[in-house]
Amino acid sequence: MSTESDFSPVPPGSPVLPGSPVPPGRAAHDPAAEPQPDLIAQGRARRRAAQGRQAEQAGPGFGAQGRQAGPEPDFAAPGRAAHDPVAEPQPDFVEQGRAARRRAAQAAMAEARPESAPESAPESAEPRQPAAPMAAVAPVAPVAAPDPGPVAQEPVAQGRAARRRAAQAQQTEPEPDFTERGRTAVAVNEAAHETAHEAPDETADKAEPHRTTGAVDNPDGIPLAPYTIPEVPAIGWDPGTSPRRRWIARGLLGAVLTVQAALSLRLLAAAHPDEAATMVAGRQQLDHLLHGTPVTTDLIERVQGSPWLYPPLAGAAADANGIWGTRLLSLGFALITTVLLYSLTRRLFNERVAICAIAVYAVLQSTVVTGFYAAPESLAVLLVALSAWATVFTARRHPALALLAAPPAALACAVAYSAAFALPALVALAFACARPYHRAGPAALRALLAGAGTLVLLLPGGTLGKLAGWSPSQGGAAGSAGSILLSTLKWAGLFTVLAVAGTIAYARREQMNEHDAPEKDSVPTTRGRRALLGTVLTATALLVPAAHVWTGTSGALFRHLAYGMLLAAPLAGVGLTRLVGAHFRHPQLGILVWVALLALGLEQSALRYQNGPDSGRLPAVLRVHTEPEGRYLTEVDGLAEYYLGGVSKPEQWISSRTGTEYRDAAGVRHHGDDGSVAAIRDGWFTMVVLDSTAPKATDRALSDAVTASGNYRLVAQFTSPTGDSSTYKVYLKH
């Protein structure tokens, strides 16, 4: 605390008169001040003197009467008035403090925002003089003691009254509204910002971004720096990666794989003709590779791919565990394909899109059936996924690394000729993925290297020529354009709509910040590049049904759709995330779409395994009528060779699809369908098995020949469990 000398040089014993320049606060707080005159005693003395004067004027004996009769004058009123702080208006020290705080706050705000201060002060405003320090007050000379007439105001009482008024003002009197002043400052700032936008100058591009300044509750008027409200990103998580996100995504990936495996394992049925033909051809190919045994079956031509790639794998799995071993092999291929799809989608976008992509892909009818079907397409789809993953993985690197995607692409086309559907998309994907990181020239070089490398690898063994001559109509049942489009709409309609919607939404605006990269390494996408990527990925989903409509065949459409669904799955994931919205705003919509896809996949995959005649009962009938030296013509390729391998040889069964080499009694040699018809007419076959799902021309010719020959009788007929018109008919020679 400061002493007396810190505030005034007035000696401690000096009397103070009213109106003196000594600050009242010092006198009120000075514990060493001299005792003041007793004003109450003075009032009593004056009262006694007045009573004496009244008694002298009234005469003897009237003093006591006067004192008893009339009211006694109140001579203590002057003393009470001296001590009453309300009697005489005192200086308002609280208001002086408020004025000082307001002036300090205005000066600080003017210094903090020089651009918003007025150019000139109002004329009525008086210049503010700096307050003189209290130590600079001139010393007051000693004065005479006050006379007892007028009562001087006591400095101690003035200090106490000042403290009481200050306490009352803090409780009752409202403070100045500094919040309104802050809003006014914001309005001035925004007006200045709009003015700057209306009249841009040469330095507008270098100006700082506009900051949104909000008003705050600041009762003391302390100048605050303006703050900026950051924009909320339209995404449910940070675009940067983290260990927690990776582990959560891997857990969801495991859940999706479990659902996919469960959907496939529930498909319990006997081997289909295509599966049986592949396993029989694979067993003979494997024996030829290991032991040099000659290949005697004509089912090699039934495999739409190289007989030296997938069939030996299927034959080895069949030797280990029959049809279950081959189907489990296909299931393993399908699960690895889903893992690769998740990885490449995460690299293109982020974990959220990747999870949505594999969630919708895993429940499709094509995925569920192909993943548990002993056919070359299961391995071919895996190789296409591996090629696409290598293309995305090397997008930022040297263009020569695009050659890493060529071997799996060429191998996929060799395993199944139907993989040619995905070859244009794989080449275009090399350009679309590299375009954000490289100029147009290096990106085009990557696509050229990927395409040329694939074609060069297809040259050995004449695979390129076989691929060029392949058509979806080979080995497939004929179908009208309307039936093909209807089947495509049922099997892949909702998924295709979701993928196309995701492509359009992604091309229009990168709203959800799908690219998984930190801000310092973000992907420089434009609308044209996003449209290119979406078109490349979704084109195959539309190309496959268009090719089947062009060729007029629908036999293997359910397996060929797997290529288009695989490549379009990333954009279907984008479409599903846009449907759900930022921060999972509408999760019920995403759940509704996924449940609809799941229900369709469950029903359609079950119907696919039940579609066609009952192949499980056919081998039992054939086993009864099979002879070691008989000759058998069948339109159901593979079933008899696979199930009756212990009682017959594969070469005893002749496929009607490849035709028959037959020489009649006149020595005329017949080929193809003509040879089969001539052999039936002459009764050369011991048994004839017809399938209504076989090519129409061949089935009609053989049916007419069996009926016209009179050498065969119908011993068994099996219809489809689904109630359609497809049947198996078994004719035995008399």
Side-chain angles (χ1 to χ4, degrees), residues 617-698:
R617 298 169 56 189
L618 179 62
V621 175
L622 298 180
R623 187 182 298 274
V624 176
H625 302 287
T626 300
E627 301 176 358
E629 301 298 331
R631 292 181 294 269
Y632 312 104
L633 179 67
T634 177
E635 289 183 334
V636 187
D637 296 338
L639 280 180
E641 294 92 325
Y642 176 70
Y643 284 107
L644 305 179
V647 296
S648 65
K649 298 178 182 179
E651 57 267 21
Q652 292 181 252
W653 298 89
I654 299 173
S655 174
S656 65
R657 300 173 188 266
T658 58
T660 306
E661 295 290 334
Y662 174 70
R663 184 187 298 240
D664 59 13
V668 179
R669 183 175 294 275
H670 302 272
H671 307 278
D673 291 344
D674 184 58
S676 300
V677 171
I680 291 174
R681 185 178 59 246
D682 295 342
W684 187 70
F685 293 111
T686 306
M687 188 165 46
V688 178
V689 182
L690 300 181
D691 181 7
S692 62
T693 61
K696 296 298 182 182
T698 301

Side-chain angles (χ1 to χ4, degrees), residues 412-487:
C413 295
V415 168
Y417 299 147
S418 57
F421 284 125
L423 194 57
L426 292 176
V427 175
L429 185 62
F431 176 82
C433 292
R435 188 63 187 92
Y437 311 104
H438 304 280
R439 295 189 301 274
L445 179 61
R446 291 178 57 87
L448 180 62
L449 290 175
T454 303
L455 295 179
V456 169
L457 293 175
L458 289 174
L459 289 176
T463 307
L464 183 60
K466 296 178 182 179
L467 188 64
W470 175 81
S471 172
S473 61
Q474 295 181 3
S480 63
S483 63
I484 295 173
L485 292 177
L486 181 60
S487 299

Side-chain angles (χ1 to χ4, degrees), residues 102-325:
R102 284 195 295 270
R103 288 194 296 270
Q106 291 174 359
M109 293 176 64
E111 293 177 359
R113 301 182 181 88
E115 67 279 2
S116 62
E119 297 182 358
S120 60
E123 296 180 358
S124 60
E126 297 180 359
R128 188 169 61 252
Q129 300 294 336
M134 299 184 67
V137 178
V140 180
V143 296
D147 84 350
V151 180
Q153 295 181 355
E154 185 179 358
V156 176
Q158 294 178 3
R160 293 172 181 169
R163 288 196 301 272
R164 284 196 299 270
R165 285 193 297 271
Q168 294 175 0
Q170 291 179 0
Q171 296 178 359
T172 60
E173 188 170 349
E175 296 291 336
D177 191 358
F178 293 100
T179 303
E180 186 63 30
R181 297 178 184 176
R183 295 194 183 100
T184 306
V186 171
V188 173
N189 192 11
E190 291 179 353
H193 180 72
E194 294 177 358
T195 305
H197 275 283
E198 293 176 359
D201 53 7
E202 298 178 355
T203 61
D205 296 338
K206 300 180 180 179
E208 296 182 356
H210 175 63
R211 296 180 297 180
T212 303
T213 305
V216 297
D217 187 9
N218 189 10
D220 295 332
I222 301 175
L224 300 176
Y227 64 93
T228 302
I229 301 176
E231 295 183 0
V232 179
I235 191 171
W237 50 30
D238 184 15
T241 184
S242 65
R244 179 175 177 269
R245 277 179 51 187
R246 286 195 298 267
W247 282 110
I248 292 176
R250 290 169 185 171
L252 294 175
L253 171 62
V256 172
L257 294 178
T258 302
V259 172
Q260 180 181 351
L263 293 178
S264 296
L265 290 173
R266 52 181 271 278
L267 301 175
L268 302 176
H272 287 221
D274 291 340
E275 296 177 297
T278 303
M279 288 185 290
V280 171
R283 283 174 172 175
Q284 292 212 354
Q285 291 291 98
L286 187 62
D287 291 340
H288 178 72
L289 290 173
L290 297 178
H291 309 292
T293 305
V295 178
T296 58
T297 180
D298 58 354
L299 294 178
I300 297 296
E301 302 298 329
R302 181 71 182 267
V303 179
Q304 299 297 317
S306 175
W308 304 104
L309 295 176
Y310 179 77
L313 295 176
D319 289 339
N321 198 16
I323 183 62
W324 269 92

Side-chain angles (χ1 to χ4, degrees), residues 579-581 583-592:
L579 188 64
V580 172
H583 306 280
F584 296 97
R585 182 173 301 173
H586 306 293
Q588 67 277 7
L589 298 180
I591 294 174
L592 178 63

